[in-house]
Amino acid sequence: MISAVMPTYARIDLSFVRGEGAYLFDVDGQRYLDFATGIAVNALGHCHPHLVKAVREQAGKLWHTSNMYQIPGQQKLAQRLVDATFADSVFFANSGAEAVECALKMARKYQHDNGKPERFRVISFSNAFHGRTMSTIAAGGQEKHLAGFAPNLEGFDHVPFGNLNAVRAAITNETGAILVEPIQGEGGIRPASSEFLKGLRQAADEFGLLLIFDEVQCGVGRTGKLFAHEWAGVTPDIMSVAKGLGGGFPVGACLANEGAAAALNAGSHGSTFGGNPMAMAAANAVLDVVLAPGFLESVNKVANKLWTKLSDLAAAHPVIIEEIRGSGLMIGIKCKIDSTVLRGKLLEARMLSVGAADNVIRILPPLIIENSHIDEAIQILDDVCAQIEEAS
Ligand SMILES: *Cc1c(COP(=O)(O)O)cnc(C)c1O
């Protein structure tokens, strides 16, 4: 018989009742080190006092009105995002897929409004992930996500990630935009090189295309900059953001420069829940912390420490670990053995991680971790690797 909850996930038989900082507690009171953070969502860990306070206060005042009205929390959050990024304007949604959907609609509408309605196609990349709606599975182009859902949304051309020649060769007079994750997350923590992102910017400018960065996973301080593309010194025209933005409260955002954003005029796009007062209270509270002087510096400091120790770990266990890759606190452990074996052992040792494509384990700790959490994680990893080596 089918479960009451639709069986769309292969869930671990584990449920948590409470969280505190970098730890989760299960129904039996067992403590887990959370280096998964709900897939890069709990950016400030669990129950960060500033977030709890902000959401509690908002809950006692007002939950929802409508985008029929002005929403001061949206104005505040949008202005802060505009001040801190390339963007001139922000649309609020509830998830990553919706933020990408907004970006894709904006790109089509922009080309249409500029007299080029034939430029509806978007170049996206191998191993990409942009969400699970009809448009975002088409953008991702993964057979495992598309199977059974035909006909697929028309208009996406996939080229190998990192290959500029292939991008240029794929551009036709029907191409309107390029969509890329500056660091592929689900695809196995694969960072785009700065040269690649610069080359995409050049190609976009040369051919009149919009450049869209999907920073749903790598954004909001995860790499030690507010947004990952800042490391490359390249700016997009449009950017999707979600996961870490609400610190655990569902919120997504599509940021754009004025030229692109102007395409979504009144009536052209919308969302009932998008940017509601609760979500805005949570996201503004996250930015209070992430934008505070010194916060990103401290992320970089702990990230450097974690990278040093992970590199030592990889050197000590060459039979198990092939490579450490990623940026800041968005880290992939590329395994030589079956990564699900290592991940299972980590779980037994009560350390949470996330799987990814390409036999990679994702390490996505909260941005507020301290040296003690790093020491604890490395100790567990080292013990578990030793166990596996002994058994084989
Ligand atoms: C998770 C993710 C999405 C989809 O976000 P949802 O909130 O699950 O819709 C889109 N793009 C990237 C890069 C992601 O990591």
Side-chain angles (χ1 to χ4, degrees), residues 19 51 62 64 68 103 108 119 135 146 160-161 188 213 232 280-281 293 298 305 313 333 357 381 385:
L51 267 65
L62 183 66
H64 178 83
M68 288 192 292
R108 281 196 179 180
R119 292 194 176 189
S135 75
L146 288 164
F161 184 65
F213 286 166
M280 295 300 97
S298 70
K305 167 133 180 174
L313 181 88
I333 302 178
L381 276 160
C385 285

Side-chain angles (χ1 to χ4, degrees), residues 107 110-111 114-123 163-178 198-211 237:
Y110 169 89
Q111 297 294 0
N114 285 282
K116 302 240 171 5
E118 72 282 4
R119 292 194 176 189
F120 68 94
R121 304 192 71 84
V122 175
I123 292 175
N163 187 332
L164 264 182
N165 291 335
V167 171
R168 287 182 163 265
I171 295 171
T172 69
N173 56 10
E174 291 189 342
T175 307
I178 300 170
K198 283 189 181 121
L200 292 180
R201 180 70 272 174
Q202 256 167 22
D205 291 344
E206 201 176 314
F207 293 95
L209 317 179
L210 292 174
L211 181 59
D237 300 296

Side-chain angles (χ1 to χ4, degrees), residues 26 57 62 95 302 339 355 364:
D26 72 5
E57 278 177 13
L62 183 66
S95 67
V302 286
S339 62
L364 301 165

Side-chain angles (χ1 to χ4, degrees), residues 77-118:
L77 183 61
Q79 190 61 55
R80 298 170 93 183
L81 290 170
V82 163
D83 290 345
T85 67
F86 73 95
D88 300 310
S89 198
V90 185
F91 176 86
F92 291 110
N94 310 288
S95 67
E98 282 178 86
V100 176
E101 177 82 15
C102 178
L104 293 169
K105 284 182 72 178
M106 193 186 296
R108 281 196 179 180
K109 185 75 163 33
Y110 169 89
Q111 297 294 0
H112 167 273
D113 290 1
N114 285 282
K116 302 240 171 5
E118 72 282 4

Side-chain angles (χ1 to χ4, degrees), residues 293-374:
F295 182 81
L296 290 175
E297 283 84 343
S298 70
V299 172
N300 283 305
K301 227 188 218 163
V302 286
N304 284 339
K305 167 133 180 174
L306 181 53
W307 274 85
T308 304
K309 296 215 160 187
L310 282 172
S311 304
D312 292 349
L313 181 88
H317 301 284
V319 180
I320 294 175
I321 299 172
E322 185 175 320
E323 181 189 23
I324 308 294
R325 64 198 194 197
S327 175
L329 292 177
M330 183 171 181
I331 302 172
I333 302 178
K334 162 94 170 146
C335 296
K336 274 195 190 147
I337 61 160
D338 180 355
S339 62
T340 61
V341 172
L342 180 54
R343 215 158 79 73
K345 289 276 180 201
L346 288 176
L347 185 63
E348 277 173 32
R350 296 204 280 276
M351 173 174 160
L352 305 175
S353 60
V354 192
D358 199 32
N359 205 30
V360 163
I361 294 178
R362 272 180 284 180
I363 300 291
L364 301 165
L367 307 183
I368 48 90
I369 50 165
E370 294 172 4
N371 287 340
S372 62
H373 302 114
I374 292 177

Side-chain angles (χ1 to χ4, degrees), residues 95-98 100 129-131 181 186 214 216-217 242-243:
S95 67
E98 282 178 86
V100 176
F129 183 79
H130 300 292
E181 295 159 84
E186 306 297 313
D214 183 352
V216 167
Q217 191 161 156
K243 291 192 168 89

Side-chain angles (χ1 to χ4, degrees), residues 11-12 56 67 155 193 220 261 285 334 343 356:
R11 298 173 195 265
I12 303 166
R56 271 207 179 118
N67 286 308
S193 69
V220 198
K334 162 94 170 146
R343 215 158 79 73

